Amino acid sequence: MLVFAPGYTDSNVRKAALTADGTPQGETPLKEEKLMSAETCAMHLAKALARRKSQKILTAIGKLTVVAHNLFPRLTDRLTYSYIAREAGSPFK
């Protein structure tokens, strides 16, 4: 089994994403030019699978989150929730 965490990726998922009131999100509040491309993400995934990795975390904040979650799971869950809730149009508000 592989745990794969690429972070935010430039994809068409925003076309299916919904805002807090249930309307389509349409545009992402993130700067898409700074996001990893879907092709790059797929390349990392394929390499991890080929090398039979059990975990592949691609971003610094993802790696920090894993360490923090091992030490303080409840706090990390709350911080992650609030981080996502701050995004424009987040359904977690």
Side-chain angles (χ1 to χ4, degrees), residues 49-71:
L49 289 169
R51 293 179 179 162
R52 304 183 64 79
K53 297 275 188 177
S54 62
Q55 178 175 294
K56 185 67 176 178
I57 313 297
L58 298 180
T59 64
I61 195 165
K63 292 173 184 176
L64 178 64
T65 301
V66 169
V67 170
H69 192 272
N70 288 332
L71 298 171

Side-chain angles (χ1 to χ4, degrees), residues 38-50:
E39 292 80 12
T40 301
C41 181
M43 180 189 68
H44 285 289
L45 177 58
K47 277 186 185 178
L49 289 169

Side-chain angles (χ1 to χ4, degrees), residues 7-80:
Y8 290 110
T9 305
D10 183 16
S11 68
N12 289 326
V13 72
R14 69 186 171 282
K15 293 181 180 177
L18 303 177
T19 62
D21 64 5
T23 58
Q25 184 177 18
E27 292 298 319
T28 179
L30 304 171
K31 295 179 181 174
E32 291 189 42
E33 65 277 359
K34 293 187 176 186
L35 302 179
M36 181 185 313
S37 72
E39 292 80 12
T40 301
C41 181
M43 180 189 68
H44 285 289
L45 177 58
K47 277 186 185 178
L49 289 169
R51 293 179 179 162
R52 304 183 64 79
K53 297 275 188 177
S54 62
Q55 178 175 294
K56 185 67 176 178
I57 313 297
L58 298 180
T59 64
I61 195 165
K63 292 173 184 176
L64 178 64
T65 301
V66 169
V67 170
H69 192 272
N70 288 332
L71 298 171
F72 311 104
R74 285 184 170 178
L75 175 62
T76 307
D77 288 344
R78 285 195 300 263
L79 291 173
T80 301

